[in-house]
Amino acid sequence: MVHLGLGAFHRSHQAWYTQHAGDAGEWGIASFTGRRPDAAVVLAAQDGLFTVVERSDAGDSFEVVGSIVEAADGADVQRLVELVAAPQTVVVTLTITEAAYGFGADDVPLLASGGTPTTPLGRLVLGLAARRDADGGPLAVVSCDNLSDNGNVARNAVLGIAGAYDAGLAAWIEANVSFVSTSVDRITPRTTDADLDAVAASCGYRDLAPVVTEPFRNWVLSGDFPAGRPRWEDAGAVFVDHIEPYENRKLWLLNGAHSILAYAGQLRGHATVAEALSDPVCRGAVEEFWDEASRHLPGKELEIPEYRAALLERFGNSRIAHHLAQIAMDASTKLRMRAIPVLRAERAEGRQGHGAARMIAAWSAFVASNPGLQDPQSRAVGEANQLSGLERTAALMALLDSELAGEPAAVELVHELSSDFVPAVPANSGTAA
């Protein structure tokens, strides 16, 4: 297997599942970093070994995971191409963030001139071209990013780049590469120096690349693996024919709640998910949004009441310091998938959609006082912030959905709700980090 996006979540999720597959001994992952080489440098020095710390209020458990057999700098495109082209590579998994699936227009001239693509998917296309030339056979590409219908999103992005570069390559990809959709779920905050110390104290060795995560984990997959895959189902992964309901359950209920807590929570002086959830204002906004979203998640197999109860328990895990500042990044991409579908569905049924609108309102209020927030449309956010009143709200909403931004009632609702989220220090601010 080849993986693009070597980070904490990949190690707590895909690498963990591969370690626990019934045929784990037959598989190894060559994992490439994204923006920086740091994780690869540290893991390479540890022969790919790292500790997964499952942390809950009941205590910690520690496990050494060895499914990553090669950790590589993402800038080593030559090695990536070599591995993607190799016939023994039959699965490519992706955790490249939602923002990385846009059309890589800059990669097309680089590919045409023999240069090196700069985006993960552009580099994947280069690898697939080498695989075609080497007659490497079919393989599966598995998106593990928080995008609705992420397999088809990945397919369209890869074929868009390939088609603009080489129509024959695009045809080969369509015939030989499957794109698998997934829903992934495991809260994995950034590792801290204190986490390194905790592993050393409990395990007696110094691991410079542990990951701390919650005991809960979930992986739902839909699609074909033409050349085989690990037996992830032995580790609890679920394979389904129709993944959209599971994707929406996770995107709306878990990720949507995270977005509300990220913006409303920080405005109210909180630093972590657990802190924000303990605030009645933030908790109420989450429950209101969940009520709306749940109306559009039919099917008893989704077990929505149980899922919501489990989320409250997971979010309230005081020993998982899931920082709101980490969740808040790339908002314009995330809210487009988390808030907009629910707001549209509510309005289509004659309701205003207060819960979904409140999520957008919290973001609108947050970026007013935090103009430097990382976002793929940061320039446009900055330009919107130069405006005022309803005009500013409409400009921000246009970054999420141009049609809704053209509906005066929707804009007025978001604008009105944003006044509920002015920076304030809550009564329990002394406990906030």
Side-chain angles (χ1 to χ4, degrees), residues 10 28 47 49 63 67 111 121 133 200 211 237 242 270 331 363 385 417 430:
H10 162 60
D47 294 328
L49 300 173
E63 177 188 9
S67 54
L111 287 164
L121 294 184
D133 296 343
V211 289
H242 304 289
H270 305 299
W363 168 64
N385 273 335
L417 293 173

Side-chain angles (χ1 to χ4, degrees), residues 331-354:
S332 66
T333 300
K334 293 174 178 177
L335 295 187
R336 197 176 299 128
M337 297 174 288
R338 301 175 184 184
I340 294 300
V342 176
L343 182 56
R344 279 184 163 278
E346 284 291 281
R347 293 178 65 80
E349 295 185 0
R351 293 181 290 270
Q352 287 187 298
H354 278 82

Side-chain angles (χ1 to χ4, degrees), residues 264-291:
Q266 288 188 89
L267 285 170
R268 293 180 59 78
H270 305 299
T272 68
V273 168
E275 290 173 9
L277 189 68
S278 68
D279 183 329
V281 172
C282 297
R283 169 75 174 265
V286 167
E287 295 276 12
E288 179 186 35
F289 175 71
W290 278 356
D291 288 343

